[in-house]
Amino acid sequence: MRIEDVKTEQDVKEFLKDSPKFATAVYLVTYKMPYGKVCTYGRVAKLIGKPGASRAVANTLHNNPLFPVVPCWRVVKADGGFGGDPKAAAGRRGRVQSEGVRIRDGKVVMNSDVLY
DNA sequence: CCCGTGACCGACT
DNA sequence: CAGTCGGCCACGG
Protein backbone atom coordinates (compact mmCIF):
# COMPACT_ATOMS: atom_id res chain seq x y z
CA MET A 1 0.00 0.00 0.00
CA ARG A 2 1.59 3.29 -1.13
CA ILE A 3 1.06 6.54 0.69
CA GLU A 4 -0.29 8.19 -2.46
CA ASP A 5 -3.15 5.70 -2.47
CA VAL A 6 -4.22 6.33 1.11
CA LYS A 7 -7.38 8.39 0.76
CA THR A 8 -9.90 7.00 3.22
CA GLU A 9 -10.01 6.04 6.88
CA GLN A 10 -10.01 2.41 5.82
CA ASP A 11 -6.87 3.00 3.78
CA VAL A 12 -5.22 4.47 6.86
CA LYS A 13 -6.08 1.40 8.90
CA GLU A 14 -4.78 -0.85 6.15
CA PHE A 15 -1.54 1.09 5.92
CA LEU A 16 -1.06 0.84 9.69
CA LYS A 17 -2.10 -2.79 10.13
CA ASP A 18 1.35 -3.75 11.43
CA SER A 19 1.76 -0.73 13.69
CA PRO A 20 1.21 -0.85 17.48
CA LYS A 21 -2.38 -0.39 18.61
CA PHE A 22 -1.65 2.83 20.45
CA ALA A 23 0.11 4.40 17.48
CA THR A 24 -2.71 3.45 15.15
CA ALA A 25 -5.25 5.10 17.44
CA VAL A 26 -3.18 8.27 17.52
CA TYR A 27 -2.86 8.51 13.75
CA LEU A 28 -6.54 7.74 13.25
CA VAL A 29 -7.71 10.52 15.54
CA THR A 30 -5.27 12.96 14.00
CA TYR A 31 -6.39 11.95 10.53
CA LYS A 32 -9.91 13.17 11.36
CA MET A 33 -8.84 16.62 12.50
CA PRO A 34 -10.50 19.38 10.47
CA TYR A 35 -8.58 21.92 8.41
CA GLY A 36 -7.96 25.07 10.41
CA LYS A 37 -8.28 23.37 13.79
CA VAL A 38 -5.69 22.22 16.30
CA CYS A 39 -5.58 19.91 19.30
CA THR A 40 -3.10 19.37 22.12
CA TYR A 41 -1.09 16.20 22.75
CA GLY A 42 -2.87 15.77 26.05
CA ARG A 43 -6.29 16.01 24.46
CA VAL A 44 -5.39 13.49 21.81
CA ALA A 45 -4.33 11.15 24.59
CA LYS A 46 -7.76 11.51 26.23
CA LEU A 47 -9.57 11.06 22.94
CA ILE A 48 -7.98 7.66 22.47
CA GLY A 49 -8.76 6.67 26.03
CA LYS A 50 -5.24 7.10 27.37
CA PRO A 51 -5.29 10.21 29.56
CA GLY A 52 -1.80 11.09 30.66
CA ALA A 53 -0.06 9.59 27.67
CA SER A 54 0.71 12.96 26.11
CA ARG A 55 4.41 12.20 25.81
CA ALA A 56 3.75 8.92 24.11
CA VAL A 57 1.43 10.71 21.68
CA ALA A 58 4.18 13.16 20.87
CA ASN A 59 6.72 10.38 20.30
CA THR A 60 4.28 8.66 17.99
CA LEU A 61 3.48 11.72 15.90
CA HIS A 62 7.19 12.40 15.62
CA ASN A 63 7.48 9.27 13.50
CA ASN A 64 4.36 9.94 11.46
CA PRO A 65 4.70 7.52 8.52
CA LEU A 66 1.63 9.03 6.82
CA PHE A 67 2.73 12.62 6.40
CA PRO A 68 1.01 14.60 4.93
CA VAL A 69 -2.05 12.39 4.85
CA VAL A 70 -2.16 12.48 8.64
CA PRO A 71 -1.98 16.20 9.56
CA CYS A 72 0.33 15.87 12.55
CA TRP A 73 1.04 19.62 12.42
CA ARG A 74 -2.43 20.26 13.86
CA VAL A 75 -1.34 18.74 17.17
CA VAL A 76 0.44 21.22 19.42
CA LYS A 77 1.54 21.59 23.02
CA ALA A 78 -0.86 22.61 25.78
CA ASP A 79 0.41 26.20 25.67
CA GLY A 80 0.03 26.36 21.90
CA GLY A 81 3.74 26.00 21.23
CA PHE A 82 5.46 23.71 18.73
CA GLY A 83 7.88 21.15 20.11
CA GLY A 84 10.73 19.14 18.70
CA ASP A 85 13.48 20.16 16.31
CA PRO A 86 13.27 23.95 15.76
CA LYS A 87 13.41 23.54 12.00
CA ALA A 88 10.60 21.02 11.82
CA ALA A 89 8.65 22.99 14.40
CA ALA A 90 8.83 26.09 12.22
CA GLY A 91 7.55 24.09 9.30
CA ARG A 92 4.54 22.87 11.23
CA ARG A 93 3.88 26.36 12.51
CA GLY A 94 3.81 27.65 8.96
CA ARG A 95 1.28 25.05 7.92
CA VAL A 96 -0.99 25.76 10.86
CA GLN A 97 -0.82 29.47 10.15
CA SER A 98 -1.55 28.93 6.45
CA GLU A 99 -4.74 27.19 7.52
CA GLY A 100 -5.88 30.43 9.06
CA VAL A 101 -5.01 29.72 12.68
CA ARG A 102 -3.82 32.80 14.56
CA ILE A 103 -0.23 32.71 15.81
CA ARG A 104 1.24 34.98 18.47
CA ASP A 105 4.83 34.85 19.73
CA GLY A 106 5.39 31.65 17.80
CA LYS A 107 2.49 29.96 19.52
CA VAL A 108 -1.08 29.17 18.54
CA VAL A 109 -3.59 31.48 20.19
CA MET A 110 -5.57 28.78 22.00
CA ASN A 111 -9.34 29.29 22.19
CA SER A 112 -12.48 27.22 21.86
CA ASP A 113 -12.83 28.14 18.19
CA VAL A 114 -9.60 26.63 16.92
CA LEU A 115 -9.47 23.83 19.47
CA TYR A 116 -10.63 20.47 18.16
C1' DC B 1 11.47 -7.61 31.97
C1' DC B 2 14.24 -3.54 33.03
C1' DC B 3 15.99 0.88 31.09
C1' DG B 4 16.54 5.12 28.40
C1' DT B 5 14.21 8.24 25.45
C1' DG B 6 11.23 12.06 24.29
C1' DA B 7 7.28 16.94 19.09
C1' DC B 8 4.36 16.54 27.15
C1' DC B 9 1.40 18.24 31.35
C1' DG B 10 -0.15 20.33 35.58
C1' DA B 11 0.91 22.01 39.88
C1' DC B 12 3.67 24.87 42.41
C1' DT B 13 7.13 28.47 43.48
C1' DC C 1 4.23 35.50 34.26
C1' DA C 2 8.59 32.51 33.81
C1' DG C 3 10.99 28.53 35.64
C1' DT C 4 11.37 24.14 38.00
C1' DC C 5 9.84 19.54 39.31
C1' DG C 6 7.76 15.11 39.49
C1' DG C 7 4.89 12.23 37.13
C1' DC C 8 3.43 10.01 32.84
C1' DC C 9 3.76 6.39 29.10
C1' DA C 10 4.37 3.74 24.64
C1' DC C 11 8.24 1.84 22.26
C1' DG C 12 12.50 -0.16 21.10
C1' DG C 13 16.87 -2.24 22.52
PDB file of all heavy atoms in Angstrom, chain A residues 2 11 17 26-27 34 43 51 55 65 107 115:
ATOM      1  N   ARG A   2       0.779   2.064  -1.041  1.00  0.00           N
ATOM      2  CA  ARG A   2       1.587   3.289  -1.129  1.00  0.00           C
ATOM      3  C   ARG A   2       0.853   4.465  -0.496  1.00  0.00           C
ATOM      4  O   ARG A   2      -0.378   4.515  -0.516  1.00  0.00           O
ATOM      5  CB  ARG A   2       1.875   3.626  -2.590  1.00  0.00           C
ATOM      6  CG  ARG A   2       2.632   2.543  -3.332  1.00  0.00           C
ATOM      7  CD  ARG A   2       2.830   2.970  -4.765  1.00  0.00           C
ATOM      8  NE  ARG A   2       1.558   3.418  -5.369  1.00  0.00           N
ATOM      9  CZ  ARG A   2       1.485   4.107  -6.495  1.00  0.00           C
ATOM     10  NH1 ARG A   2       2.591   4.427  -7.142  1.00  0.00           N
ATOM     11  NH2 ARG A   2       0.320   4.467  -6.988  1.00  0.00           N
ATOM     12  N   ASP A  11      -8.212   3.072   4.345  1.00  0.00           N
ATOM     13  CA  ASP A  11      -6.868   2.997   3.776  1.00  0.00           C
ATOM     14  C   ASP A  11      -5.837   3.211   4.879  1.00  0.00           C
ATOM     15  O   ASP A  11      -4.809   2.535   4.926  1.00  0.00           O
ATOM     16  CB  ASP A  11      -6.685   4.070   2.701  1.00  0.00           C
ATOM     17  CG  ASP A  11      -7.589   3.818   1.505  1.00  0.00           C
ATOM     18  OD1 ASP A  11      -8.024   2.662   1.315  1.00  0.00           O
ATOM     19  OD2 ASP A  11      -7.854   4.785   0.758  1.00  0.00           O
ATOM     20  N   LYS A  17      -1.767  -1.473   9.561  1.00  0.00           N
ATOM     21  CA  LYS A  17      -2.098  -2.786  10.131  1.00  0.00           C
ATOM     22  C   LYS A  17      -1.005  -3.417  10.991  1.00  0.00           C
ATOM     23  O   LYS A  17      -1.283  -4.115  11.950  1.00  0.00           O
ATOM     24  CB  LYS A  17      -2.488  -3.754   9.021  1.00  0.00           C
ATOM     25  CG  LYS A  17      -1.370  -3.994   8.031  1.00  0.00           C
ATOM     26  CD  LYS A  17      -1.758  -5.083   7.023  1.00  0.00           C
ATOM     27  CE  LYS A  17      -0.613  -5.319   6.062  1.00  0.00           C
ATOM     28  NZ  LYS A  17      -0.848  -6.428   5.140  1.00  0.00           N
ATOM     29  N   VAL A  26      -3.643   6.885  17.597  1.00  0.00           N
ATOM     30  CA  VAL A  26      -3.184   8.275  17.524  1.00  0.00           C
ATOM     31  C   VAL A  26      -3.308   8.801  16.099  1.00  0.00           C
ATOM     32  O   VAL A  26      -3.871   9.879  15.872  1.00  0.00           O
ATOM     33  CB  VAL A  26      -1.702   8.391  17.962  1.00  0.00           C
ATOM     34  CG1 VAL A  26      -1.163   9.786  17.660  1.00  0.00           C
ATOM     35  CG2 VAL A  26      -1.574   8.096  19.446  1.00  0.00           C
ATOM     36  N   TYR A  27      -2.810   8.058  15.141  1.00  0.00           N
ATOM     37  CA  TYR A  27      -2.864   8.506  13.752  1.00  0.00           C
ATOM     38  C   TYR A  27      -4.294   8.611  13.236  1.00  0.00           C
ATOM     39  O   TYR A  27      -4.617   9.501  12.455  1.00  0.00           O
ATOM     40  CB  TYR A  27      -2.057   7.547  12.867  1.00  0.00           C
ATOM     41  CG  TYR A  27      -0.589   7.544  13.165  1.00  0.00           C
ATOM     42  CD1 TYR A  27       0.104   6.352  13.356  1.00  0.00           C
ATOM     43  CD2 TYR A  27       0.117   8.749  13.287  1.00  0.00           C
ATOM     44  CE1 TYR A  27       1.464   6.357  13.635  1.00  0.00           C
ATOM     45  CE2 TYR A  27       1.475   8.761  13.569  1.00  0.00           C
ATOM     46  CZ  TYR A  27       2.140   7.553  13.747  1.00  0.00           C
ATOM     47  OH  TYR A  27       3.481   7.551  14.032  1.00  0.00           O
ATOM     48  N   PRO A  34     -10.098  18.441  11.503  1.00  0.00           N
ATOM     49  CA  PRO A  34     -10.500  19.381  10.467  1.00  0.00           C
ATOM     50  C   PRO A  34      -9.439  20.427  10.132  1.00  0.00           C
ATOM     51  O   PRO A  34      -8.650  20.822  10.990  1.00  0.00           O
ATOM     52  CB  PRO A  34     -11.739  20.040  11.065  1.00  0.00           C
ATOM     53  CG  PRO A  34     -12.183  19.102  12.141  1.00  0.00           C
ATOM     54  CD  PRO A  34     -10.898  18.590  12.715  1.00  0.00           C
ATOM     55  N   ARG A  43      -4.912  16.276  24.880  1.00  0.00           N
ATOM     56  CA  ARG A  43      -6.290  16.014  24.459  1.00  0.00           C
ATOM     57  C   ARG A  43      -6.382  14.798  23.562  1.00  0.00           C
ATOM     58  O   ARG A  43      -7.312  14.000  23.658  1.00  0.00           O
ATOM     59  CB  ARG A  43      -6.857  17.239  23.735  1.00  0.00           C
ATOM     60  CG  ARG A  43      -7.712  18.131  24.608  1.00  0.00           C
ATOM     61  CD  ARG A  43      -8.218  19.342  23.843  1.00  0.00           C
ATOM     62  NE  ARG A  43      -9.420  19.109  23.077  1.00  0.00           N
ATOM     63  CZ  ARG A  43     -10.645  19.087  23.614  1.00  0.00           C
ATOM     64  NH1 ARG A  43     -10.819  19.248  24.900  1.00  0.00           N
ATOM     65  NH2 ARG A  43     -11.706  18.904  22.856  1.00  0.00           N
ATOM     66  N   PRO A  51      -5.628   8.940  28.922  1.00  0.00           N
ATOM     67  CA  PRO A  51      -5.291  10.213  29.556  1.00  0.00           C
ATOM     68  C   PRO A  51      -3.937  10.122  30.252  1.00  0.00           C
ATOM     69  O   PRO A  51      -3.675   9.172  30.968  1.00  0.00           O
ATOM     70  CB  PRO A  51      -6.444  10.426  30.531  1.00  0.00           C
ATOM     71  CG  PRO A  51      -6.883   9.037  30.859  1.00  0.00           C
ATOM     72  CD  PRO A  51      -6.816   8.344  29.519  1.00  0.00           C
ATOM     73  N   ARG A  55       3.044  12.373  26.327  1.00  0.00           N
ATOM     74  CA  ARG A  55       4.410  12.200  25.814  1.00  0.00           C
ATOM     75  C   ARG A  55       4.462  11.116  24.772  1.00  0.00           C
ATOM     76  O   ARG A  55       5.142  11.230  23.757  1.00  0.00           O
ATOM     77  CB  ARG A  55       5.353  11.844  26.958  1.00  0.00           C
ATOM     78  CG  ARG A  55       5.752  13.023  27.760  1.00  0.00           C
ATOM     79  CD  ARG A  55       6.866  12.642  28.702  1.00  0.00           C
ATOM     80  NE  ARG A  55       8.138  12.962  28.112  1.00  0.00           N
ATOM     81  CZ  ARG A  55       9.138  13.486  28.818  1.00  0.00           C
ATOM     82  NH1 ARG A  55       8.996  13.698  30.089  1.00  0.00           N
ATOM     83  NH2 ARG A  55      10.259  13.788  28.233  1.00  0.00           N
ATOM     84  N   PRO A  65       4.381   8.152   9.800  1.00  0.00           N
ATOM     85  CA  PRO A  65       4.704   7.519   8.516  1.00  0.00           C
ATOM     86  C   PRO A  65       3.718   7.914   7.419  1.00  0.00           C
ATOM     87  O   PRO A  65       3.918   7.599   6.252  1.00  0.00           O
ATOM     88  CB  PRO A  65       4.614   6.041   8.850  1.00  0.00           C
ATOM     89  CG  PRO A  65       3.472   5.995   9.803  1.00  0.00           C
ATOM     90  CD  PRO A  65       3.658   7.228  10.676  1.00  0.00           C
ATOM     91  N   LYS A 107       3.403  30.976  18.981  1.00  0.00           N
ATOM     92  CA  LYS A 107       2.489  29.961  19.519  1.00  0.00           C
ATOM     93  C   LYS A 107       1.072  30.157  18.994  1.00  0.00           C
ATOM     94  O   LYS A 107       0.699  31.270  18.611  1.00  0.00           O
ATOM     95  CB  LYS A 107       2.435  30.045  21.047  1.00  0.00           C
ATOM     96  CG  LYS A 107       3.736  29.790  21.747  1.00  0.00           C
ATOM     97  CD  LYS A 107       3.537  29.994  23.250  1.00  0.00           C
ATOM     98  CE  LYS A 107       4.828  29.804  24.022  1.00  0.00           C
ATOM     99  NZ  LYS A 107       4.616  30.073  25.475  1.00  0.00           N
ATOM    100  N   LEU A 115      -9.706  25.109  18.802  1.00  0.00           N
ATOM    101  CA  LEU A 115      -9.473  23.827  19.473  1.00  0.00           C
ATOM    102  C   LEU A 115     -10.427  22.732  19.015  1.00  0.00           C
ATOM    103  O   LEU A 115     -11.640  22.920  18.977  1.00  0.00           O
ATOM    104  CB  LEU A 115      -9.604  24.022  20.981  1.00  0.00           C
ATOM    105  CG  LEU A 115      -9.219  22.834  21.854  1.00  0.00           C
ATOM    106  CD1 LEU A 115      -7.782  22.424  21.598  1.00  0.00           C
ATOM    107  CD2 LEU A 115      -9.408  23.192  23.314  1.00  0.00           C
TER     108      LEU A 115
END
